[in-house]
Amino acid sequence: MSDHSKNSLTVLGLGDMGSALIRSWLAVGCTVTAWSRSARPAPEGTIVAATAADAVTANSLVVVCLLDDASVRATLDGIDLTGRDIVNLTTSTPAEARALSDWIAARGGRFVDGGIMAVPSMIGVADSGAYVFYSGSTELHETHAETLAIPAAVTYVGADPGFAALYDIALLSGMWGMFAGAAHAFALIAPEDISPVDFAPLLVGYQQAMAGYAYGTAAQLASGDYTEGVESNLAMMVTTNDTLLRTAAEQGVSPELLTPFMDLMRRRVAEGGGNESNTGVVDLLRR
Ligand code: NAP
């Protein structure tokens, strides 16, 4: 393990994620100064600052991990950020991250936004798969790349401070679609003598097999030809959807998680996309 005893940084936020980040930096010998709005227990070895301003003054690298954009603004408001490198790991929208970047630049600081693709128990754990999207100041990113790589792998997605949030939220949005499908599937089997525990590996296996479908969607979006390589045409899928909906009715399950997507598929067929795959749904969402 590298010696980081000369590295020091500040963390604003002692919530579940802020504390996990701090533990990972302390574990490799970094000196961490932290602040939290409420008195919360800090990981052993943390220097706890009395005010956010004191914490920001303590180090040039300031990692912010608070609840939301409003809490970041409220915390940094009025604090001198001259010469500070602010890394915001608070989940934000792309526009919020861009506006925050401008706001911090106007106060003399450099800014990188981050989107954490992990839960706290994965932070600082080798091979956990945890990584963080970063975007914003390339200079800041290059200066602190080694320190930022300690809690989780770094995926830098460019100088636009909004991109880390956009990648983060796009992946989270995809995740909700997958969770919605799983919730509907479990609801379908719930009335029967089928163990959800036995069913889970079948569901996971099928979802994993189908996840690669996104590569085909990407290729079609790139080429503009939505009929390229189609083996499950949209007209067929829309007919099959009626069977899915009748099954939901038979099993006493609300179709509310499925119908918004099915409505879009039906609209695309009505507009002449029956021989495509369902890539055209992306265009319908953008109207
Ligand atoms: P958390 O445990 O709820 O902690 C939130 C922190 O924000 C606390 O320190 C809280 O201080 C502070 N805070 C809330 N409102 C504030 C305000 N108005 N002014 C100043 N401080 C305020 O949340 P977390 O799990 O650490 O998550 C922090 C960020 O990481 C979030 O943006 C979250 O989306 C992101 N994230 C979390 C996870 C996860 O699984 N936990 C995963 C990826 C990303 P008080 O003690 O005073 O309330």
Side-chain angles (χ1 to χ4, degrees):
M1 194 181 285
S2 313
D3 176 17
H4 291 276
S5 56
K6 290 194 186 68
N7 291 4
S8 69
L9 72 154
T10 285
V11 177
L12 302 180
L14 281 168
D16 294 328
M17 188 53 87
S19 298
L21 294 166
I22 291 170
R23 276 192 290 275
S24 74
W25 278 307
L26 290 173
V28 297
C30 295
T31 301
V32 182
T33 299
W35 169 87
S36 186
R37 179 182 60 173
S38 315
R40 281 181 179 240
E44 196 181 334
T46 311
I47 301 165
V48 178
T51 67
D54 289 349
V56 169
T57 305
N59 293 293
S60 60
L61 175 58
V62 178
V63 174
V64 186
C65 191
L66 299 170
L67 189 61
D68 57 9
D69 182 63
S71 53
V72 177
R73 294 283 189 140
T75 300
L76 294 179
D77 196 24
I79 296 178
D80 181 11
L81 300 179
T82 311
R84 299 298 98 171
D85 283 342
I86 308 293
V87 175
N88 182 34
L89 297 183
T90 307
T91 305
S92 326
T93 73
E96 286 168 353
R98 288 174 183 134
L100 189 61
S101 179
D102 291 345
W103 192 73
I104 284 167
R107 282 163 180 72
R110 297 191 294 191
F111 180 78
V112 156
D113 196 63
I116 305 173
M117 306 315 296
V119 294
S121 61
M122 295 163 71
I123 298 297
V125 177
D127 302 325
S128 69
Y131 71 97
V132 179
F133 285 120
Y134 288 101
S135 71
S137 165
T138 45
E139 296 80 12
L140 187 163
H141 168 248
E142 281 162 14
T143 305
H144 299 292
E146 204 187 327
T147 306
L148 295 178
I150 291 166
V154 170
T155 301
Y156 181 71
V157 289
D160 184 329
F163 270 21
L166 183 58
Y167 277 78
D168 177 5
I169 300 300
L171 295 196
L172 289 179
S173 301
M175 179 186 76
W176 285 134
M178 183 181 75
F179 285 7
H184 185 89
F186 278 120
L188 285 177
I189 65 154
E192 313 298 343
D193 184 20
I194 300 172
S195 161
V197 176
D198 295 340
F199 180 72
L202 300 172
L203 179 60
V204 170
Y206 194 67
Q207 287 197 323
Q208 283 173 337
M210 291 298 108
Y213 195 78
Y215 289 120
T217 304
Q220 291 188 345
L221 287 169
S223 73
D225 178 2
Y226 298 172
T227 61
E228 183 183 300
V230 171
E231 45 180 345
S232 308
N233 70 76
L234 195 56
M236 174 279 291
M237 288 195 275
V238 164
T239 302
T240 305
N241 283 347
D242 290 337
T243 310
L244 268 66
L245 293 174
R246 290 199 307 278
T247 304
E250 286 175 12
Q251 296 299 104
V253 172
S254 165
E256 65 194 296
L257 290 175
L258 298 186
T259 44
F261 189 59
M262 291 178 171
D263 288 346
L264 288 163
M265 293 167 82
R266 195 178 306 114
R267 259 174 64 198
R268 185 72 185 181
V269 171
E271 291 179 4
N275 60 345
E276 301 174 351
S277 64
N278 62 18
T279 304
V281 167
V282 178
D283 294 343
L284 291 180
L285 287 174
R286 290 207 49 85
R287 279 181 207 162

